[in-house]
Amino acid sequence: MVNSAPSEEETRTRARTRRAILEAAVQVLGENSAAPLSQVARAAGVARSTLQRYFPERADLTNALGEYADELITEAMQRARTTEGTGLEAFVRLVPEYFALQKVVMLAFGQEEDLTEGSEEECGEADLALTALIERGHADGSIDPAISASWMQQFLWAGLYSGWSYVNTGEASAYEALNLCVLSLEKVAANPAANGGRG
């Protein structure tokens, strides 16, 4: 008997179920990376057997979280409307969008060195869009031309990591840390020549 291809509705249902599992994994494993997958299944509202059909081994789920993080980063880039306004305006809109991704980014990529490492060959869609944003800021004069796109990208993730860590110390709320993160990153990126020579 020949198996028919899944219908469009079946494909959408599978995509929704997969995303629900990944969202649950971010919440559960973000709180406790050693939590059993049965807890992830419960949080997703699916049976453990269903989770195993999508992710047979824990490593499969862990690897998928990296892809999911990339998806969310790309979606954040789109929400920030990075092709609109000056490069600096777009950059400032992007920081809060990225800041909100703490759990999935930390779960998928781990420590600060993992967030900032990478080569040109490894650049994804969001990395290329961020490079284009910074280069546009150079061209329109809003972003300091002395700050290269690759350095600004490294500094962005280092700044986000610092903001997330600051919240974990209990010294600041997420809202306060976000405001400090935006302020600090904007000061670094801004072209002093476009602000009357002030940094």
Side-chain angles (χ1 to χ4, degrees):
M1 181 177 177
V2 178
N3 291 328
S4 58
S7 68
E8 189 175 332
E9 180 57 34
E10 287 174 322
T11 300
R12 283 198 299 267
T13 299
R14 290 177 186 177
R16 283 195 299 270
T17 301
R18 182 179 185 278
R19 183 138 183 162
I21 293 170
L22 290 170
E23 288 172 353
V26 169
Q27 294 306 313
V28 172
L29 301 180
E31 296 294 330
N32 175 14
S33 61
L37 295 189
S38 57
Q39 192 174 332
V40 173
R42 278 197 304 276
V46 301
R48 174 64 188 266
S49 58
T50 300
L51 185 149
Q52 287 182 309
R53 280 202 302 275
Y54 286 82
F55 307 106
E57 303 291 338
R58 192 180 189 94
D60 297 316
L61 179 58
T62 301
N63 292 337
L65 284 170
E67 297 171 6
Y68 181 51
D70 286 336
E71 289 174 25
L72 294 183
I73 288 169
T74 298
E75 290 172 10
M77 180 72 71
Q78 293 165 349
R79 285 194 303 274
R81 309 184 318 280
T82 54
T83 59
E84 298 178 18
T86 67
L88 184 62
E89 289 167 347
F91 182 74
V92 169
R93 286 195 300 270
L94 181 63
V95 175
E97 294 289 349
Y98 275 11
F99 192 87
L101 301 180
Q102 174 183 0
K103 277 191 177 180
V104 68
V105 168
M106 292 303 295
L107 191 58
F109 304 124
Q111 300 303 311
E112 184 176 9
E113 58 268 24
D114 299 317
L115 297 178
T116 57
E117 69 183 7
S119 66
E120 198 170 307
E121 290 76 18
E122 296 170 332
C123 284
E125 180 183 343
D127 295 321
L128 295 173
L130 180 55
T131 295
L133 179 163
I134 295 164
E135 289 175 347
R136 190 173 87 250
H138 290 159
D140 66 31
S142 63
I143 292 179
D144 191 339
I147 306 293
S148 71
S150 59
W151 173 250
M152 196 65 241
Q153 191 148 191
Q154 295 273 329
F155 201 83
L156 168 61
W157 287 110
L160 290 167
Y161 180 86
S162 296
W164 295 332
S165 298
Y166 194 42
V167 175
N168 292 339
T169 67
E171 293 185 51
S173 67
Y175 178 77
E176 291 168 329
L178 169 59
N179 285 339
L180 288 169
C181 203
V182 172
L183 178 64
S184 301
L185 287 166
E186 182 177 10
K187 280 182 175 290
V188 169
N191 185 357
N195 192 29
R198 296 187 297 278

